Amino acid sequence: MQESADFLNNQAIELASRGNFTEAIACYKRAITIERENSLLWFNLGVTYQKQGDLRAAKRAFSTALEMNPADEEAAEQLAIVCLERKEFMEAAEHCRFGLEQNPVNAHLWNTLGVIFFNQEEYPTAAESFERAVSINPYYYDALYNLRDTYSELGNKAGEAVCEERLSKLKEPKEDL
């Protein structure tokens, strides 16, 4: 049986889901030797590196995926998240803005941008970003949660109360596996 990039990708996903990151990364690298220009393989490799805790390698993989497919908002968001985790706030914000140029109604990118501003203690700008995310998706738990905390930092008790009420009506999302 001949190896294919799809087979290796699926095998790597299975390995990563079981926490076997080193083996999963080896599968992705082998798949990339077969299909070097496959942005999905690079993206999945980035996710696996990120889960393993190798943020530098994750950043390289996500950057490659985004170079290959500039319309991939998810790659832009993951690249921004990795930069945020590395405390590279300016670069993280740039990746969010790039993704938002592709799709200005991406609530996840607005939320991530808000998190970047919150981490820099730029609370008014963070609030604007979270408000955009919530206006796009009123049921987006994380954005509402972040907006509530931002309103708390700003001393906006009325806004905080509104967010708290809306959060109480939503169920907390289950963490991704």
Side-chain angles (χ1 to χ4, degrees), residues 24-106:
I25 289 166
C27 281
Y28 286 126
K29 286 181 175 181
R30 176 74 183 122
I32 287 169
T33 64
I34 297 168
E35 288 186 24
R36 183 124 186 96
E37 301 297 316
N38 185 327
S39 65
L40 177 62
L41 293 173
W42 286 100
F43 179 85
N44 289 345
L45 177 62
V47 168
T48 305
Y49 275 130
Q50 189 176 16
K51 287 180 178 179
Q52 186 184 47
D54 187 345
L55 297 179
R56 190 169 55 167
K59 183 178 176 182
R60 282 193 311 266
F62 288 133
S63 294
T64 302
L66 194 57
E67 286 172 21
M68 290 179 181
N69 184 6
D72 187 348
E73 301 159 36
E74 198 172 355
E77 181 184 9
Q78 285 306 120
L79 187 52
I81 290 169
V82 165
C83 289
L84 175 62
E85 290 174 359
R86 291 171 49 104
K87 308 239 183 289
E88 298 167 345
F89 298 120
M90 297 293 287
E91 188 176 347
E94 287 174 22
H95 293 302
C96 282
R97 289 186 183 106
F98 177 80
L100 288 166
E101 286 175 11
Q102 310 307 310
N103 180 7
V105 293
N106 183 318

Side-chain angles (χ1 to χ4, degrees), residues 9 14 144:
N9 181 56
E14 178 63 32
L144 272 170

Side-chain angles (χ1 to χ4, degrees), residues 123-144:
Y123 301 120
T125 310
E128 290 174 19
S129 296
F130 295 134
E131 288 165 352
R132 291 285 297 265
V134 171
S135 72
I136 294 165
N137 180 356
Y139 305 103
Y140 188 3
Y141 187 92
D142 290 348
L144 272 170

Side-chain angles (χ1 to χ4, degrees), residues 166-177:
R166 289 176 65 187
L167 284 166
S168 71
K169 294 178 181 174
L170 297 176
K171 290 187 176 187
E172 187 171 352
K174 291 182 179 155
E175 191 170 319
D176 290 336
L177 299 176

